[in-house]
Amino acid sequence: MAGATRRRRAPRSGSTPHRDEFGQWDPKNQRPELWSLYNGRLHEGEHMRIFPISNWTELDIWDYIGREGIEIPSIYYSHQRRVFQRDGMLLSESEHNPLRAGESVEERTVRFRTVGDLTLTGCVESTASTIEEIIEEVAIARVTERGATRGDDRFSEAAMEDRKKEGYF
């Protein structure tokens, strides 16, 4: 076709050498190959834990769940639950979460943005009952799920790192 421009697709793999708009390879413009910097040596008895999506955002995860049609537990969708307010979070009523002085239980429509220790994991008020509604809700949220619902992050900024050292992850 005369005058048509052809768009190049992005490479699917990190092993594809970078080419300019004319398809030419320029050794000065190549991406760094960092594999030689990675220390993959393990001593006897050691092991490695791999977190392939640790740099994904909450929205990235929900987009993936929606795109792939992954079934998720109902706790992530809105539902009625008896909750109480503590330290700015809504926590579930439970025998493992005894009320403190001044706290009272009420039923609200909530969902969980993350699931963890019942005594430290809060829920958020929400009417999102489909993955599409959850994606819309997360897209406009101004507080991350860590900031809104993880009580252990309120103890210290290094709470997650401390838990990793303790073997929680």
Side-chain angles (χ1 to χ4, degrees), residues 43-168:
H43 299 288
E44 181 142 349
E46 295 179 335
H47 68 278
M48 184 113 11
R49 291 186 178 182
I50 307 299
F51 300 96
I53 63 171
S54 64
N55 64 336
W56 285 22
T57 66
E58 183 182 10
L59 186 57
D60 291 334
I61 291 168
W62 282 110
D63 281 337
Y64 180 79
I65 289 169
R67 184 175 61 248
E68 298 300 320
I70 298 170
E71 289 187 39
I72 60 170
S74 62
I75 198 167
Y76 289 103
Y77 298 111
S78 69
H79 58 281
Q80 292 292 301
R81 181 173 288 261
R82 291 178 52 82
V83 297
F84 62 94
Q85 188 98 20
R86 179 179 293 160
D87 298 327
M89 293 187 309
L90 290 175
L91 297 176
S92 296
E93 176 187 41
S94 164
E95 64 188 56
H96 305 292
N97 239 356
L99 293 178
R100 296 177 184 164
E103 294 176 339
S104 61
V105 175
E106 58 186 311
E107 191 161 304
R108 294 198 192 174
T109 304
V110 299
R111 73 176 195 82
F112 284 83
R113 290 175 72 182
T114 188
V115 178
D117 182 336
L118 173 74
T119 64
L120 293 171
T121 303
C123 50
V124 294
E125 288 196 83
S126 172
T127 59
S129 59
T130 67
I131 290 183
E132 293 76 21
E133 290 174 346
I134 291 172
I135 290 170
E136 288 175 21
E137 183 180 275
V138 170
I140 61 170
R142 293 291 164 244
V143 178
T144 68
E145 53 92 16
R146 285 187 75 167
T149 63
R150 292 190 185 175
D152 58 349
D153 287 341
R154 294 164 189 241
F155 295 125
S156 80
E157 287 186 24
M160 285 298 237
E161 287 69 25
D162 293 342
R163 285 202 156 182
K164 287 177 187 175
K165 288 178 187 173
E166 295 167 2
Y168 183 77

